[in-house]
Amino acid sequence: MFIKRVVPRIIRNSRNEKTIQIELTTYEGKFIASAPSGKSTGKHEVPSYNSKGIGRSRVLLKAFCKRITGKNYLLKKIDDLKKLRSAIGKFEARFGRMGGNVTYTLDAVFLKAAAADKNKELWEFINDEVNNGLKPKMPMPVGNCIGGGLHSKLTRGKRPDFQEFLLIPKEASFSKAVTKNFHAYLYAKGLLKAQKRGDEGAWRTDKTNEEVLDILKKVGKKYGVRIGMDIAASTFYDKGYYLYKNKNLIRDKVDQADYMERLAKKFGVFYMEDGMQEEDFGGFRETLSAARKGALVVGDDLTTTNLARVRRAVAGKSINAMIIKPNQIGSMIEVKKVVEFCKRHKIKMIFSHRSGETMDNALADFAVGFGAHFIKCGIYGRERLIKLKRVMDIEKGLNK
Ligand code: PGA
Ligand code: ZN
C-alpha cells in the first residue's frame, strides 16, 4: 500500500467541537476517517490529544504525515498496523504525543485503505481475520432514548442523574430492530412530553431516574424492547459519595450497590452500564452477582478498552459485558486483543460511539467485523443514522 498523500484536517463533531479527520490517498483511491470524542471520559482512557490541546496535535500530525508520505506499508491484517505504530512511537518519543484520537484515526484510515487494497469491505477485512471468514452474526442496536447527567442540559433546573436510558430490541434482523427502536423513541417522547433533544439525540427531561425508568418500562412493554441504562456513575461521584442532584441526596458505596440492585429488580433492567464508579471493581462484582440470569453488567469507564483493566474485571467477576470504544485506547491492535479476550471469556461486546460523533461510519464495520453482540450508536441524528444505516446495508448485502 503506497502512501501517495495524507492530509490531516480539523472538522467539527455533532457537538460542534473540533476533532481530527485524516484523508489518505493510495493507488486504490481516497479514504477518510475521523475521531469521535467523549464527554464522560474514563480516567484510564488514553489522553485524546497532546497536553497542549488539539491544535498542537494537528501540528504534530502534519509533520508525521509528511514523514510517511511516499512510503510503502504492507497491510494484510490488523496486526500489520505494527509498522505504523512503531513509526508513531518513534515520532512521539522525539516530538510529543499526538493523542489517542489521532492515533485511532490513523489506524482507521489505514485499515480502510488496506481493505480496498484487498478489494474488500472494511468489515470483511476484519471478519476474515477474527472469524475466519465465517458469515458474521448481526449485532443488535443499543439506542439512547432519554438523556441525563453530563449529556443533557437542565430542563426547568433539573435532569436525571443517570446519563443514558436505553432501548435494546431483540429481533430477527438489525433493520427490524432499528425500526422498532425508532417507533419506541417517538412513543417515549409523548409519554415524557419532551420538547428538546440533548447529546446523541436523546430526549431531555427534568424527571428523576425512577420516573424515567417508569416511562422506559412502559415503552419497553408496549414495543417488546428490553431496557437499559448507562449510569456513568463516575460523573457524579466525589470522594467516596455519589451525589444525586435531582433529589438532592447522597449515597455511599454500599447504598449505591443496593440502589442498583433495587432498580434492576423493580424495573426489570436488562442492561446496566457503569453502575459504580470507575475504580470500584468490588461494587461491580456485587451488581453482577445480584443480577438476574441473562442481564448484562457492563463496564465502560471501568474497563476503557484497556486489556489490563478488562483482565482484572473479568478475573474478579465484575462484568459480563463491556463497551468497546476504539478511541479510548487509540489503537486498533489493542482493540483486537480486547475482542479476542472477550471471545475467549464469553464477555458480551458492545461497540460504542461517543457523545460527540462525526459522519464516519467505520464503527458499524468494526462492530460487524469483530462480531460484536451489540452496537451502541444512538437512535436519532445524522451522525447516528449513518452508522445504523451502514449495518443495515451490510445486512442486506449478506442476505442477497
Ligand atoms: P461519552 O459517553 O462518549 O460522553 O464518554 C458515552 C458513554 O459513557 O457511554
Ligand atoms: Zn458509558
Side-chain angles (χ1 to χ4, degrees):
M1 201 174 89
F2 182 75
I3 311 298
K4 279 169 80 177
R5 221 166 99 90
V6 209
V7 187
R9 295 193 190 98
I10 296 226
I11 59 162
R12 298 274 169 175
N13 69 17
S14 54
R15 263 199 302 254
N16 204 26
E17 301 156 338
K18 288 178 181 172
T19 190
I20 295 284
Q21 182 193 67
I22 301 175
E23 183 185 290
L24 168 65
T25 312
T26 68
Y27 283 114
E28 302 317 313
K30 249 184 204 167
F31 306 91
I32 293 180
S34 55
S37 16
K39 200 186 261 176
S40 64
T41 47
K43 212 160 65 191
H44 298 280
E45 294 189 28
V46 297
S48 302
Y49 300 110
N50 182 275
S51 56
K52 293 194 181 117
I54 189 173
R56 180 71 192 149
S57 283
R58 187 175 68 154
V59 171
L60 291 171
L61 176 60
K62 235 178 159 175
F64 179 74
C65 288
K66 248 192 194 158
R67 288 186 169 222
I68 57 172
T69 304
K71 297 243 161 71
N72 230 322
Y73 280 85
L74 190 66
L75 198 46
K76 286 193 169 165
K77 52 187 193 313
I78 299 166
D79 283 340
D80 292 337
L81 285 168
K82 270 184 195 139
K83 193 179 159 198
L84 173 69
R85 284 280 130 185
S86 126
I88 292 172
K90 282 183 197 142
F91 177 85
E92 289 190 325
R94 267 188 79 184
F95 302 104
R97 272 172 95 148
M98 294 190 278
N101 277 13
V102 176
T103 53
Y104 157 71
T105 311
L106 278 167
D107 276 7
V109 82
F110 265 65
L111 286 178
K112 287 185 185 188
D117 202 40
K118 285 188 122 189
N119 210 8
K120 282 183 177 165
E121 299 280 333
L122 177 57
W123 71 265
E124 267 182 303
F125 180 85
I126 294 163
N127 180 63
D128 282 354
E129 198 186 339
V130 296
N131 296 324
N132 302 319
L134 293 172
K135 189 173 160 176
K137 243 185 99 188
M138 282 297 122
M140 277 293 116
V142 174
N144 188 358
C145 180
I146 302 163
L150 292 186
H151 282 187
S152 175
K153 287 190 185 131
L154 298 170
T155 302
R156 293 179 284 275
K158 289 196 165 185
R159 64 184 166 206
D161 295 291
F162 298 166
Q163 183 173 280
E164 298 167 16
F165 297 87
L166 305 158
L167 296 172
I168 308 140
K170 190 178 186 179
E171 294 294 321
S173 74
F174 187 80
S175 62
K176 270 193 191 145
V178 166
T179 310
K180 209 157 216 197
N181 253 3
F182 189 66
H183 289 304
Y185 167 82
L186 292 180
Y187 182 64
K189 176 185 199 255
L191 295 186
L192 271 175
K193 299 192 181 51
Q195 305 285 341
K196 292 190 172 140
R197 298 181 173 95
D199 284 353
E200 304 179 10
W203 299 117
R204 273 169 54 184
T205 176
D206 59 350
K207 295 197 186 315
T208 64
N209 299 319
E210 284 90 338
E211 286 166 345
V212 173
L213 281 169
D214 212 34
I215 286 176
L216 204 68
K217 192 177 169 185
K218 284 194 185 111
V219 174
K221 217 166 173 191
K222 182 167 164 80
Y223 286 89
V225 170
R226 298 166 295 186
I227 64 169
M229 50 190 180
D230 180 3
I231 293 100
S234 292
T235 60
F236 56 95
Y237 175 82
D238 190 34
K239 299 185 188 82
Y241 294 97
Y242 295 89
L243 314 175
Y244 285 80
K245 295 222 173 85
N246 195 305
K247 271 194 168 167
N248 202 13
L249 55 90
I250 60 173
R251 290 192 165 90
D252 67 8
K253 181 183 151 104
V254 177
D255 291 338
Q256 176 71 7
D258 180 57
Y259 184 46
M260 289 300 116
E261 202 180 318
R262 275 190 288 124
L263 289 182
K265 284 215 175 85
K266 183 169 175 197
F267 297 101
V269 177
F270 163 71
Y271 173 115
M272 195 179 285
E273 178 179 334
D274 281 343
M276 308 294 291
Q277 58 97 0
E278 61 206 325
E279 307 296 1
D280 192 2
F281 285 86
F284 272 79
R285 184 194 173 99
E286 275 181 46
T287 314
L288 181 57
S289 67
R292 72 180 151 92
K293 202 169 173 281
L296 302 183
V297 175
V298 185
D300 173 13
D301 293 344
L302 180 81
T303 38
T304 58
T305 321
N306 175 321
L307 188 58
R309 291 185 69 83
V310 180
R311 277 180 196 281
R312 188 174 160 197
V314 172
K317 297 196 168 44
S318 300
I319 55 167
N320 60 6
M322 68 166 286
I323 290 282
I324 299 182
K325 293 170 174 165
N327 79 321
Q328 274 183 327
I329 192 72
S331 155
M332 291 309 294
I333 295 178
E334 290 303 312
V335 167
K336 186 181 158 220
K337 286 187 200 160
V338 169
V339 166
E340 286 168 346
F341 184 84
C342 286
K343 287 192 168 171
R344 268 203 308 279
H345 295 268
K346 304 216 167 4
I347 300 298
K348 297 260 188 330
M349 299 179 281
I350 303 117
F351 269 66
S352 170
H353 67 165
R354 304 302 305 248
S355 49
E357 261 301 335
T358 71
M359 290 298 280
D360 194 334
N361 60 9
L363 183 76
D365 286 70
F366 292 148
V368 176
F370 281 115
H373 305 83
F374 299 95
I375 178 168
K376 188 181 182 212
C377 63
I379 297 178
Y380 183 81
R382 59 182 200 139
E383 292 85 358
R384 321 286 159 188
L385 290 170
I386 199 169
K387 294 168 183 65
L388 296 172
K389 170 145 191 321
R390 174 67 183 150
V391 180
M392 290 198 275
D393 286 347
I394 295 173
E395 181 175 69
K396 239 189 254 160
L398 282 171
N399 292 335
K400 254 185 204 156

